[in-house]
Amino acid sequence: MNDIILITGASSGFGKATAKRFAASGATVIITGRDEMRLETAAAQTGAVPFCADATQPSDWKALREFIEREYGRLDLLINNAGGGVAIKEVAEQTPDEIDRSISLNLCSVIYGCREFAPLFKRQSGGTIINVSSVCAKQAWPGWSVYAAAKWGVLGFTKGLATELMPSGVRVTCLVPGAGDTNFDAAANFTERGSVPGLKAEQIADTIYSIYALPKNVWCEELTVWGIDQIVVPL
């Protein structure tokens, strides 16, 4: 594979594992993150190209797109993975700043990235976008309401974007992962795993790779992936 891959929020977790998976296949992988030191470490560990950028800033997206066009001339796959819990607590306990930051990081970042790269994909008459949502877009837990609102937004936005870009041969998929063994879960105090093995970052990476590896005329609209340790009744 000699494709050009861009992954946001790839300093750790799902993004980092996905960068490693694609780089191992021979792809050129560009990873982004806000913490330059962590990003450089992740790049060294995965074989990716680091580009320090804040996914919530449209100006950073513009600089990133200009860099990719200048250095590579195209983009084959955009993975909007950047996200975070920000404040996992009841709505009544959240500050307006926490709410704004959660929506900005988990939803606006995805919209900004797709807005910046959609014209390039259309000019190429092809490409793939995978937006990473969460099972919070489909289920409800106390304390996750604001985060869920953003992830519901990612799911709805992705479906709409797919209809806009499909006539240009661009595939747009929403990946809906359950809780994984990542820093995100630890930060959100979601640590009750039980005795059954749960979802690993490397398994999400394999899932993303499989979606992208489908024939170019095949489109995966939406895919939900759970770890068998996370039981929701009723589903």
Side-chain angles (χ1 to χ4, degrees):
M1 177 186 292
N2 61 353
D3 293 3
I4 310 299
I5 315 295
L6 171 60
I7 308 172
T8 68
S11 295
S12 63
F14 294 160
K16 181 180 176 181
T18 304
K20 186 175 182 180
R21 177 68 178 86
F22 275 96
S25 75
T28 296
V29 182
I30 301 98
I31 60 173
T32 75
R34 291 178 291 185
D35 187 319
E36 189 169 4
M37 185 173 296
R38 291 181 64 203
L39 185 66
E40 293 283 352
T41 299
Q45 293 172 342
T46 61
V49 176
F51 189 99
C52 192
D54 183 343
T56 68
Q57 299 300 315
S59 59
D60 283 13
W61 275 108
K62 182 176 184 292
L64 179 57
R65 191 260 306 158
E66 290 175 344
F67 166 76
I68 288 175
E69 286 197 286
R70 181 175 64 251
E71 296 296 322
Y72 307 105
R74 73 178 199 278
L75 183 65
D76 298 296
L77 171 61
L78 166 62
I79 302 171
N80 279 305
N81 170 72
V86 180
I88 305 302
K89 53 188 178 183
E90 292 186 10
V91 174
E93 299 174 357
Q94 297 204 26
T95 67
D97 178 65
E98 288 172 333
I99 294 170
D100 288 348
R101 286 193 290 119
S102 184
I103 299 299
S104 178
L105 176 59
N106 292 291
L107 175 57
C108 293
S109 65
V110 175
I111 297 174
Y112 293 154
C114 292
R115 170 188 172 274
E116 191 65 46
F117 279 96
L120 174 60
F121 283 125
K122 291 175 75 172
R123 290 197 302 271
Q124 295 175 169
S125 296
T128 303
I129 298 173
I130 298 177
N131 294 329
V132 180
S133 180
S134 163
V135 290
C136 287
K138 296 187 171 187
Q139 308 292 335
W141 291 276
W144 293 81
S145 302
V146 175
Y147 177 80
K151 292 302 188 180
W152 269 93
V154 171
L155 179 58
F157 168 75
T158 303
K159 289 176 180 291
L161 184 67
T163 67
E164 295 174 5
L165 296 184
M166 199 180 304
S168 298
V170 182
R171 307 181 299 177
V172 186
T173 294
C174 190
L175 178 64
V176 185
D181 186 14
T182 66
N183 292 339
F184 175 92
D185 283 357
N189 295 318
F190 190 84
T191 55
E192 296 297 326
R193 312 306 300 178
S195 59
V196 180
L199 191 61
K200 305 298 182 184
E202 293 75 16
Q203 293 166 330
I204 288 296
D206 287 340
T207 301
I208 291 174
Y209 188 91
S210 296
I211 292 171
Y212 183 64
L214 289 168
K216 299 304 181 184
N217 66 316
V218 177
W219 166 53
C220 177
E221 175 191 356
E222 173 190 335
L223 182 62
T224 302
V225 183
W226 294 89
I228 200 169
D229 64 329
Q230 191 177 7
I231 302 172
V232 179
V233 180
L235 185 62

